[in-house]
Amino acid sequence: MRKIGLLAFAVLLAACGATKTVLTADKAPVLAKLDLKNVVDDKVAVTVDAGAFTTDEVLFYIPKTVPGTYSTDNYGRYIEGFKALDYEGKELTFSKLDDNTWKVSNGKNLDKVTYWVNDTYDTEGEVKDKVFSPSGTNINAGKTFMLNLHGFVGYFGGLKEVPYELSIVRPEALKPTTSLTPKVLEAPVANVDVFSASRYFDVIDNPILYAKPNTETFEINGITVTLSVYSPSGIYSALSLKDRMEKMMGAQKTFLGDVDGTKIYNILLYLSTMEADDASGFGALEHHTSTVVVLPEAMPKERLEQAMVDVVSHEFFHIVTPLNVHSEEVQYFDFNDPKMSQHLWMYEGTTEYFANLFQIQQGLIDEGEFYQRMMDKINNAKSYDDAMSFTEMSKNILVDPYKKNYANVYEKGALINMVLDIQLRQLSNGEKGVLWLMKELSKKYGNDTPFEDDKLIDEIVAMTYPEIRTFFDTYVIGDTPIDYSSYLGMVGLSTDLIEQETGYFLDGDNPFIDVEQGNENVVFIRKGIQLNSFFKGLGAEGGDIIKEINGTAVTLESIRPIIGKSFGWSPDTEISMVVDRDGKEVLLEGKVGAPTVNVETIVPVENVSDEVLELRQAWLKG
Ligand SMILES: [Zn+2]
């Protein structure tokens, strides 16, 4: 309706000789309509309606990729029943150029496009290259909708920069949580939410969670934070998770100081049933003023809260980078032909490092826990290519072999920042570190001013010390693995093997035993892992198939109660175990003992100078 009005007005203006003013597609807002009330076959109807087109050919895109995911996801795969309509509602012919692009040849007659959207959560188990749930979409009629809007709303070629207006028809019981600005309407319509966005980027930067209200809002030094929770069985409420989030984000704000000016922040937490038709990619995706977090609902409260602390703090720190410090590649992000920046060591690495560092600086974890986390990263980084240039990997992250090393941005990426932090502290007598560097960079750049991708490292060197040039050339641009112990030595730390308590069958979540694929009657001791003192003491070896324990034949079913009982064993408890080793039965007997494993850990070196101790304090306590 509105379009017709616009067109009549356009004709009128044209008659006065004032063509191409506010009315053509490049000036009129794009109107996108989503109908969440009348879901058909688990699909949502969408209409995208721009102003009058002035070109013969019009392209319509659904993003191939979005910022922060560093993967090619082809959201167009989830679009069905695409139609291009003229002003009389007649279908125009179009062609589909690829998964994400539609071409309408008779563009001047094009009024709008309509299509159906399928969600990604339903099919995560089936499709190849599945979308990571925090950037995916969910349609669960009458219950919840996860609107990562890049999966629902597309853009017309050349019209990414015009304002958008979103009109969403919803079931009465479901309410939105989003950082999008609600439009003030003269005549609001019941159960229709209308939001404005200044450009297409803002549409996709502001996901919306629709759910039955389960939200809490709190203030942290000038930021209004809203936590909205979808918990399918209702066991988790926003209220039950609020305290820990409030404490954690308060600590983050103190750590950051005045580095950012964000006024609102929304945490959209989606808890998955983990059934075949629900989300299976856990974690979160950052946006300027919100984050989507997906975790399993089955997590016990303490673990869910810890996961929220680790994940949400990471996402919130993205406010610094890439959101406030980023290159042109990020600023002018091309959703359908993305160019990647070289600086994942910073976008993800610095962010992940800060998400750990702030916890020690603000007293949420102790030194031992911080060292263990860094040690875990050193160990986890070993499963990736340690001799791959980080800048080269970043630039080419969408393709192999770089793509399969992506997750190393959270391991080695964080460690690059740890050693850079130590070196900066050392060169500046403890005064300057990576946080200082990021504050300086965010003062210089910020939300709307990108840096040139090739110039960033030169600039960091100019702001700091000549030694930092060598550091980047060797470890970030270059492919030399980092000798962590030499950096840890600067702050009086070294690595050492220490004996740590563990379980008889499980080391935390990590079992010493496994079940043969497709045959739950074969339980074996895992190969290639460090066994605990219990298995070693009995003379067990990796690969042994456990046939019997204390006379009970062992299967997956029968070993569960044995594992349960083992929590009550004392070191003097006697055990007899029959294993099959290369086809021969071997009887293993003895006392179970107190199970331990040797873990490599970071430990303080004794008798170091005061200078070194002060440097360590400056690094850990800021
Ligand atoms: Zn991240």
Side-chain angles (χ1 to χ4, degrees):
M1 288 297 286
R2 187 176 170 135
K3 194 50 50 67
I4 289 166
L6 274 176
L7 196 76
F9 194 34
V11 171
L12 199 70
L13 272 184
C16 316
T19 49
K20 288 188 182 180
T21 51
V22 286
L23 311 156
T24 47
D26 58 327
K27 299 292 195 308
V30 173
L31 309 178
K33 266 191 186 159
L34 283 75
D35 186 345
L36 307 184
K37 198 172 168 190
N38 302 295
V39 172
V40 179
D41 290 338
D42 202 31
K43 286 167 219 157
V44 164
V46 176
T47 303
V48 184
D49 189 340
F53 291 98
T54 52
T55 53
D56 287 332
E57 193 173 90
V58 173
L59 293 171
F60 181 76
Y61 301 95
I62 293 285
K64 181 179 183 175
T65 184
V66 291
T69 58
Y70 308 105
S71 61
T72 303
D73 289 319
N74 297 314
Y75 294 96
R77 289 181 292 169
Y78 299 89
I79 304 301
E80 289 176 19
F82 181 91
K83 283 180 189 165
L85 301 176
D86 71 9
Y87 292 96
E88 285 164 6
K90 280 198 222 126
E91 289 184 39
L92 297 169
T93 53
F94 66 88
S95 54
K96 199 173 169 194
L97 304 186
D98 58 37
D99 273 350
N100 313 297
T101 316
W102 291 260
K103 184 174 86 174
V104 182
S105 323
N106 198 352
K108 284 177 184 153
N109 287 342
L110 177 65
D111 175 19
K112 60 192 173 192
V113 299
T114 67
Y115 48 87
W116 291 93
V117 179
N118 237 312
D119 62 332
T120 68
Y121 286 10
D122 279 358
T123 54
E124 285 185 8
E126 298 151 34
V127 299
K128 211 177 137 263
D129 298 326
K130 65 182 178 185
V131 172
F132 178 50
S133 309
S135 60
T137 53
N138 190 30
I139 297 167
N140 192 346
K143 290 187 178 152
T144 185
F145 295 85
M146 177 58 80
L147 305 186
N148 266 307
L149 289 163
H150 52 258
F152 288 90
V153 179
Y155 62 95
F156 292 101
L159 297 185
K160 270 192 307 195
E161 300 304 317
V162 305
Y164 267 67
E165 188 174 304
L166 266 78
S167 171
I168 302 175
V169 181
R170 63 166 161 86
E172 195 176 353
L174 305 188
K175 298 281 155 58
T177 307
T178 179
S179 296
L180 274 174
T181 316
K183 191 175 180 197
V184 181
L185 299 170
E186 272 175 34
V189 181
N191 304 324
V192 178
D193 299 319
V194 182
F195 300 101
S196 310
S198 64
R199 59 184 186 131
Y200 183 67
F201 182 88
D202 287 340
V203 174
I204 64 153
D205 191 35
N206 291 290
I208 313 173
L209 173 63
Y210 273 93
K212 294 211 172 76
N214 181 2
T215 65
E216 281 293 321
T217 297
F218 49 92
E219 297 283 325
I220 288 163
N221 300 344
I223 309 184
T224 305
V225 180
T226 298
L227 168 65
S228 181
V229 179
Y230 172 70
S231 171
S233 77
I235 61 165
Y236 284 111
S237 66
L239 184 64
S240 69
L241 300 169
K242 175 191 157 195
D243 285 356
R244 193 83 181 266
M245 284 296 100
E246 195 170 358
K247 186 178 173 200
M248 181 272 288
M249 293 184 78
Q252 282 191 282
K253 232 352 219 171
T254 312
F255 173 86
L256 283 178
D258 56 3
V259 72
D260 81 282
T262 304
K263 290 281 172 269
I264 58 160
Y265 199 78
N266 284 301
I267 303 166
L268 313 181
L269 172 62
Y270 180 94
L271 296 171
S272 167
T273 60
M274 289 171 70
E275 310 260 317
D277 62 353
D278 207 347
S280 62
F282 302 120
L285 183 66
E286 78 272 17
H287 300 283
H288 280 80
T289 52
S290 60
T291 181
V292 172
V293 186
V294 180
L295 291 168
E297 192 184 41
M299 270 184 155
K301 182 155 185 258
E302 173 53 34
R303 284 192 51 209
L304 180 73
E305 285 192 323
Q306 189 57 52
M308 289 282 289
V309 166
D310 294 339
V311 165
V312 176
S313 62
H314 175 106
E315 303 311 327
F316 187 70
F317 278 134
H318 273 309
I319 285 178
V320 182
T321 189
L323 303 178
N324 265 304
V325 182
H326 54 246
S327 71
E328 291 162 333
E329 283 75 1
V330 177
Q331 178 83 14
Y332 309 110
F333 192 83
D334 188 330
F335 304 100
N336 288 70
D337 186 16
K339 313 284 181 294
M340 291 291 140
S341 157
Q342 302 167 50
H343 301 295
L344 273 170
W345 69 270
M346 182 176 77
Y347 305 141
E348 290 302 333
T350 305
T351 303
E352 177 63 10
Y353 175 61
F354 282 176
N356 288 280
L357 185 69
F358 96 100
Q359 296 194 46
I360 166 88
Q361 278 205 9
Q362 298 298 315
L364 302 185
I365 57 173
D366 62 17
E367 286 184 27
E369 169 71 20
F370 179 75
Y371 297 154
Q372 195 52 52
R373 286 171 177 228
M374 293 303 110
M375 193 69 229
D376 288 346
K377 291 196 184 295
I378 293 175
N379 286 325
N380 295 343
K382 288 175 187 160
S383 37
Y384 303 97
D385 185 353
D386 201 17
M388 179 179 275
S389 153
F390 238 70
T391 45
E392 195 181 321
M393 172 174 98
S394 184
K395 191 89 202 135
N396 299 289
I397 201 66
L398 296 177
V399 296
D400 272 330
Y402 307 98
K403 187 176 158 184
K404 61 174 188 273
N405 281 276
Y406 171 72
N408 206 16
V409 299
Y410 304 109
E411 314 293 349
K412 189 176 177 180
L415 295 166
I416 287 172
N417 283 273
M418 177 185 81
V419 297
L420 175 62
D421 203 16
I422 293 173
Q423 185 158 26
L424 281 173
R425 290 282 185 189
Q426 198 194 39
L427 293 166
S428 66
N429 291 319
E431 268 178 38
K432 294 170 181 172
V434 174
L435 182 59
W436 167 85
L437 176 67
M438 294 313 297
K439 284 183 177 186
E440 291 300 302
L441 287 172
S442 66
K443 268 185 233 161
K444 182 155 187 188
Y445 296 101
N447 197 9
D448 300 320
T449 316
F451 58 78
E452 277 179 62
D453 213 55
D454 278 339
K455 305 267 167 69
L456 178 71
I457 288 168
D458 294 342
E459 194 154 344
I460 291 174
V461 174
M463 288 161 70
T464 56
Y465 306 93
E467 289 87 341
I468 298 302
R469 158 63 58 201
T470 319
F471 175 89
F472 277 100
D473 283 349
T474 315
Y475 301 124
V476 184
I477 301 166
D479 54 13
T480 309
I482 298 171
D483 174 14
Y484 296 105
S485 52
S486 71
Y487 284 93
L488 291 169
M490 293 179 188
V491 284
L493 300 172
S494 69
T495 59
D496 202 359
L497 276 181
I498 60 157
E499 222 181 345
Q500 206 172 64
E501 278 180 30
T502 184
Y504 291 98
F505 295 95
L506 310 169
D507 182 29
D509 293 335
N510 218 354
F512 293 105
I513 54 175
D514 202 353
V515 177
E516 196 173 280
Q517 282 232 325
N519 186 358
E520 300 198 333
N521 292 326
V522 178
V523 176
F524 62 92
I525 300 172
R526 289 172 62 198
K527 254 189 174 160
I529 63 159
Q530 191 208 153
L531 293 179
N532 59 8
S533 59
F534 162 66
F535 281 115
K536 278 193 208 156
L538 287 175
E541 291 175 10
D544 285 355
I545 298 165
I546 307 176
K547 305 296 285 184
E548 267 181 47
I549 292 179
N550 297 335
T552 303
V554 167
T555 62
L556 178 64
E557 210 187 323
S558 69
I559 200 157
R560 282 198 179 121
I562 298 175
I563 295 173
K565 267 188 212 156
S566 74
F567 293 107
W569 289 352
S570 73
D572 288 332
T573 304
E574 299 277 347
I575 188 171
S576 79
M577 190 188 292
V578 178
V579 301
D580 178 325
R581 186 176 297 158
D582 306 323
K584 275 189 222 133
E585 292 214 334
V586 183
L587 175 66
L588 308 171
E589 285 182 300
K591 289 191 167 51
V592 297
T596 57
V597 279
N598 289 325
V599 291
E600 196 178 13
T601 189
I602 297 170
V603 289
V605 178
E606 283 176 29
N607 301 324
V608 292
S609 69
D610 286 352
E611 245 180 0
V612 168
L613 281 180
E614 275 164 28
L615 198 62
R616 192 199 298 161
Q617 274 309 101
W619 168 49
L620 293 179
K621 293 292 170 182

